[in-house]
Structures are given as C-alpha cells and as structure tokens.
C-alpha cells in the first residue's frame, strides 16, 4: 500500500515515507490509481481538487517505487 497525502497547501503528493502530515489515502497499484482517478474517489477522500499534472506526478512516483519494490523482491 502506498500513501497519497493532502498537504497544508491543499496539494496532493505521493508520501514515500508514509509519515507526512496531512489527510491521507492509500493506493495499492497503478491500476488502483487509475480507477480512483476516473471515479474522483481520491479527490473525495483527500477533500481537494487534483489536476492532471498532479496525477501524473503521483503516477510517476508510484511507478518508480513499484519498480524498486519488484527489484528488491527479486534479489
């Protein structure tokens, strides 16, 4: 599970540490992120508007994190 957090300035960010302050929501995969994007569930959960650029940044961060997880799991 990966955490997305709404910061004090009402921005949604990928929380690499899982410890950032702010309202959070958990995403399990890129497919899950795509589903909540289409249904606006992430915006509802975080109570903020999330634009396309922010979704792209979250997706890139999640992809990078998933890539490291898979590589670490193969070792």
């Amino acid at each position: 599970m990966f955490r997305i957090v709404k910061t004090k300035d009402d921005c949604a960010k990928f929380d690499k540490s899982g410890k950032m302050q702010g309202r959070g929501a958990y995403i399990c995969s890129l497919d899950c992120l795509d589903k909540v994007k289409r249904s606006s569930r992430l915006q509802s959960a975080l109570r903020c508007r999330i634009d396309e650029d922010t979704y792209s940044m979250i997706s890139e961060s999640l992809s990078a994190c998933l890539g490291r997880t898979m590589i670490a799991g193969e070792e």
Side-chain angles (χ1 to χ4, degrees):
M1 297 292 275
F2 302 94
R3 187 166 185 254
I4 311 299
V5 67
K6 179 180 98 171
T7 62
K8 289 181 181 180
D9 56 349
D10 284 337
C11 293
K13 294 187 176 183
F14 183 76
D15 181 4
K16 293 177 187 174
S17 69
K19 298 179 182 180
M20 287 177 69
Q21 289 186 352
R23 184 172 193 84
Y26 290 89
I27 301 293
C28 58
S29 66
L30 287 170
D31 290 334
C32 188
L33 179 63
D34 187 47
K35 288 178 187 176
V36 297
K37 178 183 173 185
R38 283 186 274 125
S39 66
S40 299
R41 287 186 197 159
L42 188 57
Q43 292 184 88
S44 297
L46 297 179
R47 298 180 186 162
C48 70
R49 184 165 174 353
I50 304 173
D51 61 21
E52 190 62 39
D53 291 338
T54 303
Y55 273 116
S56 294
M57 287 189 300
I58 292 170
S59 179
E60 288 172 15
S61 297
L62 182 58
S63 293
C65 192
L66 286 169
R68 283 191 298 253
T69 302
M70 287 180 188
I71 290 170
E74 292 174 359
E75 295 180 356

